[in-house]
Amino acid sequence: MKTINQNYINGEFKKINSTESLTLKNPTTEENIAQIYLSTPPEMNEAIECAAHAFESFSKTSIDERMNILQRIHDELLQQEDILIDLAVLEFGATIMTTKRRTKNAINLFLTIKEELKHYDFVKKDADSITIKEGVGVIGVIIPWNANLAHLCSNIAPAIALGCTLVIKPSEFNALETEAFLECLHRANVPKGVVNVVHGTGDVVGNVLTKHPLVNAISFIGSTKTGKIIFENSAKTIKRMTLELGGKSPTILLEDANLQEVIPHVLSSAYSNSGQACHAGSRLLVPQSKLAEVERLLIEHINRLKIGDPKDKETQIGPMINLTQFNTVQSYIKSGIDDGAKLLCGGLGKVEGFDKGYFVKPTVFICHNQTLKIVQEEIFGPVLCVLPYESEQEALVMANNTIFGLSAYVFSNNETKALEFAKQIRSGRVLINTSSSKAKHPPFGGMKQSGLGRMGGRYSMDAFCEIKSILF
Ligand code: NAD
């Protein structure tokens, strides 16, 4: 069992000054894999002061210098790609195929941002004015456990590009991958104090980060519930905010959708990351007249899904990250049953044949009542709610009947019609006739209670800027 007992502060690994620790288990086998020590507020304060001090010089570095740093981090990460993948599979239980794709994208982001930096409009001159974009300062980053490396990279790359410095509070549950990432960062010779990482819990060190006056901006990725606490805490010092929060995204099958072709997309969205994905299409809206056929196809396809060891490249659904998450999903399944939703497949308990590991049965409910808890709340597990509709007008109202607005999926044989429908959905993105887009770094973020601001490629750079006018 590995011990994680050091933070990364001011370019050095520093021993955590606490006896409080957490044991991480392999979600596939339930074996103990790591003990992680939890930092104290003074350690977070030290990291913030170092980041503030480093900003004074780092904000003045040249674009070339920062492009070199981005390249060096990319190169170091690339050398450790396989190790990073193995650790994510080990501690999170994400399937190897998903993890490989995601790791590659995360590492490549340093090159994308390097390219953006070359052309970024830092200065715009007019006759009587100059508009300057400059780094926002010290950015406090707080991230969840469901795509650790992607979240680390998607914040560090744009922050470095803008000459900002960071203090990161990663999730307690990804300490092994974070440690391997930090070793790469250290070898990449990133200037001291530019990236600081403090392990610990949200209510202790995360709380300090969101309230500290030397922190200029917060980039938070996590649940809407925590996002609201962070928003409130950060308001006291008017921090710039990017909030990437939860979702309950609708997948809408319009009347003319080809059901045979569409169902694999429906499932790959709903059960993405074993259901632990913010953008999961967890509400499926189907024409009432097609409900019986959709039910039949869902069962047929779900019976073919490969559930099991995430290391196996055939596996499509792995375990929940930990027992807490397993129990949360179970309680939602129980509430669906108690509230009278029709259980089409799956249900309570572990997947048959899996005594060990936090494997939830891929579950589908047919729901005729939109107010049910399972229809309205984010479950973050492989649970799909099917909602029949009578008309496409009703489907639109149902799609928007949520506090969330992160993502949506529309399927139709008529792309023009799908586009018109997509424009009326209140969410940060809508995918048409696919569950995964090949678009290069489109803006990502949510409407309504799914968040604030946009990240992704150059949009992340914009999020980490202040704009100054100089007038003549
Ligand atoms: P969470 O909100 O429980 O925790 C996220 C992070 O916040 C963790 O690092 C946690 O330690 C920290 N935290 C908790 N309380 C805090 C506090 N009071 N002050 C400061 N920090 C605090 O979320 P989670 O369970 O780790 O992740 C799952 C959630 O993340 C889901 O809701 C999912 O939709 C969301 N998510 C959103 C996106 C997106 O881009 N919109 C992406 C991934 C995950």
Side-chain angles (χ1 to χ4, degrees), residues 233-279:
N233 287 341
S234 306
K236 296 190 181 98
T237 44
I238 316 282
K239 299 192 192 313
R240 308 305 178 248
M241 294 294 287
T242 311
L243 298 173
E244 302 219 350
L245 309 178
K248 190 77 186 177
S249 301
T251 299
I252 304 104
L253 309 189
L254 296 181
E255 302 273 2
D256 60 356
N258 179 332
L259 298 183
Q260 283 285 356
E261 283 175 13
V262 160
I263 295 299
H265 287 288
V266 167
L267 292 177
S268 102
S269 162
Y271 298 160
S272 160
N273 227 4
S274 312
Q276 301 167 113
C278 55
H279 52 78

Side-chain angles (χ1 to χ4, degrees), residues 98-393:
T98 307
T99 309
K100 276 188 174 171
R101 180 175 33 82
R102 214 190 256 158
T103 305
K104 195 155 278 318
N105 288 345
I107 296 174
N108 280 341
L109 187 67
F110 285 92
L111 297 185
T112 306
I113 296 287
K114 181 185 164 198
E115 205 48 39
E116 291 285 353
L117 182 52
K118 231 190 252 176
H119 311 289
Y120 197 65
D121 54 340
F122 280 104
V123 180
K124 185 172 162 277
K125 288 186 181 160
D126 287 317
D128 303 324
S129 68
I130 306 176
T131 306
I132 299 175
K133 286 185 180 174
E134 56 187 44
V136 66
V138 176
I139 305 171
V141 177
I142 300 177
I143 56 181
W145 44 261
N146 74 329
N148 184 52
L149 187 71
H151 298 320
L152 287 170
C153 297
S154 70
N155 282 286
I156 293 173
I160 287 181
L162 268 291
C164 296
T165 59
L166 307 108
V167 179
I168 303 174
K169 207 289 296 165
S171 169
E172 308 83 297
F173 305 110
N174 303 111
L176 291 173
E177 191 190 38
T178 302
E179 178 104 331
F181 173 85
L182 286 173
E183 279 160 12
C184 296
L185 195 89
H186 190 65
R187 280 195 296 275
N189 212 6
V190 177
K192 283 186 193 315
V194 170
V195 182
N196 305 276
V197 173
V198 178
H199 292 288
T201 59
D203 55 348
V204 179
V205 286
N207 192 41
V208 174
L209 186 58
T210 57
K211 289 182 177 165
H212 202 293
L214 288 178
V215 175
N216 305 100
I218 289 287
S219 172
F220 171 71
I221 308 169
S223 64
T224 296
K225 184 171 164 226
T226 309
K228 288 178 186 177
I229 299 170
I230 287 177
F231 201 12
E232 209 177 317
N233 287 341
S234 306
K236 296 190 181 98
T237 44
I238 316 282
K239 299 192 192 313
R240 308 305 178 248
M241 294 294 287
T242 311
L243 298 173
E244 302 219 350
L245 309 178
K248 190 77 186 177
S249 301
T251 299
I252 304 104
L253 309 189
L254 296 181
E255 302 273 2
D256 60 356
N258 179 332
L259 298 183
Q260 283 285 356
E261 283 175 13
V262 160
I263 295 299
H265 287 288
V266 167
L267 292 177
S268 102
S269 162
Y271 298 160
S272 160
N273 227 4
S274 312
Q276 301 167 113
C278 55
H279 52 78
S282 50
R283 291 185 296 142
L284 176 64
L285 276 53
V286 304
Q288 176 66 53
S289 58
K290 306 273 172 68
L291 182 59
E293 194 183 349
V294 169
E295 288 186 4
R296 185 184 62 73
L297 286 168
L298 282 172
I299 291 173
E300 190 184 307
H301 283 265
I302 288 171
N303 284 341
R304 289 209 296 262
L305 288 176
K306 174 117 174 40
I307 306 166
D309 186 348
K311 289 202 296 295
D312 181 342
K313 65 182 189 331
E314 304 289 316
T315 297
Q316 292 161 288
I317 299 195
M320 301 293 95
I321 186 171
N322 53 32
L323 183 60
T324 309
Q325 189 60 20
F326 177 86
N327 287 338
T328 301
V329 179
Q330 293 298 306
S331 73
Y332 274 108
I333 295 175
K334 183 168 183 315
S335 105
I337 295 167
D338 292 348
D339 288 346
K342 174 182 151 190
L343 184 65
L344 183 71
C345 60
L348 288 167
K350 287 189 178 178
V351 174
E352 267 169 44
F354 290 86
D355 296 341
K356 290 279 178 204
Y358 309 120
F359 290 92
V360 171
K361 295 175 192 167
T363 296
V364 178
F365 282 107
I366 311 297
C367 306
H368 292 277
N369 178 353
Q370 285 184 70
T371 64
L372 297 186
K373 196 170 150 178
I374 54 165
V375 178
Q376 289 299 328
E377 295 184 12
E378 183 184 46
I379 297 175
F380 228 53
V383 181
L384 175 65
C385 294
V386 180
L387 299 149
Y389 67 80
E390 293 292 348
S391 68
E392 289 181 356
Q393 211 177 358

